[in-house]
Amino acid sequence: MKPLNATQDDYLDALKANSQVVVLGPAGTGKTWIAATYAADLFRQRRIRKIILTRPNVPSGRSLGFFPGTLEEKFGPWAAPVIEAIKERIGTAAFEIAVKNGDIEMVPFEVMRGRSWRDAFILLDEAQNATPAEMKTFLTRIGEECKVVINGDVSQCDLRETSGLRTVIHLIKSQMLPVPIVEFTLNDIVRSGVCEMWVRAFEEVHC
């Protein structure tokens, strides 16, 4: 995996050296893609046993309950960017087998309580939409031999209450916890010039 800018390079270094990483920044910077690809590589090399994907259920439209199908089928649209990145890395057939065997698992917050994970890569996407209580639940599921990425953009919080991501950032900084925070900026957008144009446009009107 070749980084496209200095911040991506810092992100990869943080992933290699730490069991937990918080990554922040706007859309199009590669935050999710790098985490998913790195997880797929660890899984393919059998350096981890499982990949756990999760994100808070705060959609801008209909909730998960309105979609037909199993829990995985309901959760799939929200996890699509991560799933596609993993499929590209390990192949569609290997991905489907891993999901069937429970080695790649999508775990909505609604069913997280009581779970525990070990020997896994755990990606929490859209973390800005987790409440402080949800974030505590997530972080206390983590067992031995896990690598955790908490990924979000605090400027895009859809909650009416305090973001759990902001709480985590405050705790890391105030208590000097050994968790690196990697922060992308508008200058790090690599998806496309169109993406950068619109992110900057919305940033100007604070939307």
Side-chain angles (χ1 to χ4, degrees), residues 71-143:
L71 189 60
E72 289 77 12
E73 289 168 339
K74 290 181 179 184
F75 197 63
W78 275 263
V82 183
I83 290 170
E84 289 307 311
I86 295 174
K87 282 182 179 179
E88 286 180 11
R89 212 68 173 182
I90 68 173
T92 300
F95 174 85
E96 291 174 353
I97 291 170
V99 171
K100 184 177 180 180
N101 292 339
D103 296 329
I104 297 178
E105 190 176 2
M106 290 163 273
V107 183
F109 271 72
E110 291 88 336
V111 298
M112 189 178 294
R113 191 172 296 276
R115 298 289 304 273
S116 62
W117 301 303
R118 64 178 302 277
D119 195 13
F121 188 105
I122 307 160
L123 171 59
L124 169 55
D125 204 19
E126 302 291 346
Q128 73 276 1
N129 287 329
T131 66
E134 287 174 333
M135 192 65 80
K136 180 180 178 182
T137 296
F138 168 76
L139 290 170
T140 54
R141 303 305 96 202
I142 300 165

Side-chain angles (χ1 to χ4, degrees), residues 1-13 16 33-34 184 190:
M1 186 189 312
K2 186 177 180 181
L4 299 178
N5 53 47
T7 311
Q8 286 194 357
D9 195 25
D10 291 343
Y11 184 15
L12 284 168
D13 286 344
K16 293 172 184 175
W33 185 86
I34 288 175
F184 287 92
V190 295

